[in-house]
Amino acid sequence: MACGCIEDKEKLYNSGVLVEHCEGAVLPPAEEWKKKRGGYVIVECPQRIPCNPCATVCPSGAIVPHADINDTPEIDYAKCTGCGICVARCPGLACFVADLTYSDESAVLKLPYELLPLPGKGEVVKCLNRTGDVVADGEVISVSEPLKDCTHVVSIVIPKNLVDDIRSIKVVR
């Protein structure tokens, strides 16, 4: 579904689809992000709702405890290790980790994945934007289940210029 007009974007947003950055989308500081091996968390919470699992599970305290449980998360990037545990814990699938240091043209994106079939290391998957359109192919470099709760974290190599666009994958066999 292409998202061209303001009315379409508003309908998608109201149904829980974050089609572009807006209040609630937190990106790392650009200069530090370009140099950070392991990457930084990206949090895209589209609405104020009572939620804080990302803050309670973060082992380094990078996701700052919320003053109000309805607040969107704040990140202390000096503490973020890019571990991806928040990616697995977030019930809204709104946390991602992006490592821009993979190569000059490619980045690694750690995405939550709760579907079957699971992709395997070395597999090429279709990378989807926020509205489900295929925007690139990506190579899976790892699949983990950090919390042993059926939410997997899939790490894929993608074109660096699409880090802000890709938010899901589709396994096609």
Side-chain angles (χ1 to χ4, degrees):
M1 167 188 255
C3 189
C5 74
I6 292 171
E7 186 176 306
D8 287 343
K9 289 179 182 180
E10 187 174 330
K11 284 179 184 175
L12 284 168
Y13 177 79
N14 289 336
S15 68
V17 177
L18 186 63
V19 296
E20 61 190 3
H21 285 291
C22 61
E23 186 177 343
V26 181
L27 285 175
E31 286 310 307
E32 290 87 10
W33 193 15
K34 290 177 188 173
K35 300 179 280 185
K36 174 68 168 66
R37 286 232 176 265
Y40 282 132
V41 66
I42 299 170
V43 179
E44 294 187 342
C45 295
Q47 298 172 342
R48 285 179 44 91
I49 59 171
C51 188
N52 71 350
C54 60
T56 61
V57 77
C58 182
S60 65
I63 301 179
V64 180
H66 304 56
D68 175 336
I69 196 163
N70 294 296
D71 288 346
T72 54
E74 292 182 26
I75 313 300
D76 180 346
Y77 289 103
K79 294 180 179 179
C80 184
T81 65
C83 70
I85 292 176
C86 57
V87 174
R89 175 58 77 205
C90 177
L93 308 177
C95 293
F96 315 91
V97 171
D99 181 351
L100 302 181
T101 67
Y102 187 76
S103 76
D104 289 341
E105 292 84 31
S106 300
V108 172
L109 193 58
K110 296 178 183 178
L111 300 169
Y113 194 75
E114 296 179 331
L115 303 172
L116 292 175
L118 278 176
K121 183 177 180 177
E123 191 168 347
V124 174
V125 295
K126 298 297 179 188
C127 299
L128 311 176
N129 64 12
R130 292 173 181 87
T131 57
D133 299 319
V134 175
V135 294
D137 286 336
E139 180 185 350
V140 176
I141 59 170
S142 72
V143 178
S144 65
E145 188 183 1
L147 300 171
K148 308 300 181 218
D149 66 351
C150 296
T151 298
H152 292 83
V153 176
V154 177
S155 298
I156 55 172
V157 177
I158 61 167
K160 192 179 282 189
N161 65 323
L162 294 176
V163 162
D164 194 33
D165 297 320
I166 295 170
R167 289 298 175 262
S168 187
I169 62 169
K170 180 165 85 173
V171 178
V172 180
R173 294 192 171 135

